Amino acid sequence: MHDDIQRVVISERAIKERVAEMAAEIAEVYGRCDAGVTIVTVLAGSLIFLSDLIRLLPIKMRVGLVEVSSYAGRTTESQGVRLEHASLPNLRNRNVLIVDDIIDSGRTLRVVQQGVRSLTPRSIQTAVLLRKAGRAPLDVPVDYVGFDVEDVFVVGYGLDYDGFYRNLRYIATLKPELYHAEA
Ligand code: 5GP
Ligand code: MG
């Protein structure tokens, strides 16, 4: 697996330090809310980030899961993805924190934010581990960002290529010859 890596973009140690900083910031905000926080996380890329993050949050919380799928035949940016499946506690009047691995075009988080908003929570914030430089659109607000990364395809720490590499403990680029010709 490690032989497939071209370059480490964010080290295990840097991730650990930054996730702890984000957790401190988030705990400070939601620690003040009696009702705690309901985290809504986007499967499957954010699983590793989520599990490290929530174990550093000494506050009352629930976790809900959503999945977003792409579908063909639509060309506009806000379409083309939909909230496919959800296992959610009641969000009405809750303080919701959406957690995702990476924001690139923002299409995924736009759909998740709209879906959550339609369930009339008290508040919505969004946390992402990675943001692709210069790509995140203004209508998709993100409150906590782990790292801004250059616009290259990365894997590891939950992020996959063709389902693989989620278990890498760092974030990295793959050797170019590994990408399928058809991908
Ligand atoms: P967006 O909808 O913001 O364009 O893209 C978000 C989704 O695309 C992410 O949740 C992730 O699943 C996928 N994605 C975007 N950039 C990357 C990347 O560099 N590496 C991987 N593995 N997935 C990415
Ligand atoms: Mg994702």
Side-chain angles (χ1 to χ4, degrees):
M1 178 174 67
H2 297 282
D3 294 345
D4 295 348
I5 299 310
Q6 180 183 53
R7 178 169 61 91
V8 175
V9 176
I10 307 172
S11 69
E12 179 179 357
R13 184 185 173 151
I15 295 170
K16 193 171 179 200
E17 286 176 5
R18 185 68 189 123
V19 171
E21 286 171 6
M22 294 176 81
E25 216 182 315
I26 290 166
E28 164 92 25
V29 170
Y30 291 99
R32 293 191 225 112
C33 307
D34 285 345
V37 62
T38 302
I39 292 182
V40 172
T41 203
V42 188
L43 294 171
S46 57
L47 279 180
I48 309 286
F49 175 42
L50 175 87
S51 65
D52 281 346
L53 181 73
I54 65 175
R55 284 177 293 170
L56 295 170
L57 295 177
I59 55 179
K60 262 179 79 174
M61 75 170 69
R62 293 189 174 103
V63 175
L65 308 173
V66 295
E67 202 171 347
V68 169
S69 70
S70 314
Y71 57 97
R74 300 292 180 93
T75 50
T76 61
E77 278 251 312
S78 58
Q79 297 173 322
V81 290
R82 71 178 152 216
L83 218 47
E84 180 69 20
H85 173 76
S87 157
L88 282 180
N90 191 354
L91 300 187
R92 185 165 163 67
N93 254 333
R94 302 290 175 195
N95 297 305
V96 173
L97 176 67
I98 297 169
V99 171
D100 203 1
D101 51 1
I102 183 166
I103 181 164
D104 183 9
S105 72
R107 268 189 307 176
T108 305
L109 275 173
R110 183 181 289 118
V111 166
V112 175
Q113 288 181 349
Q114 284 167 353
V116 167
R117 205 175 297 126
S118 72
L119 299 170
T120 63
R122 179 181 306 168
S123 66
I124 304 179
Q125 285 197 310
T126 299
V128 296
L129 181 68
L130 305 177
R131 176 170 61 190
K132 289 252 173 106
R135 295 272 287 153
L138 292 174
D139 68 317
V140 185
V142 175
D143 305 276
Y144 310 92
V145 177
F147 300 91
D148 279 301
V149 289
E150 59 205 286
D151 192 7
V152 291
F153 189 84
V154 291
V155 296
Y157 199 70
L159 291 143
D160 74 306
Y161 172 62
D162 196 20
F164 293 104
Y165 307 108
R166 293 194 199 278
N167 55 326
L168 286 173
R169 297 165 75 109
Y170 49 84
I171 289 167
T173 57
L174 290 174
K175 290 180 180 162
E177 61 268 28
L178 285 165
Y179 294 109
H180 302 320
E182 71 272 23

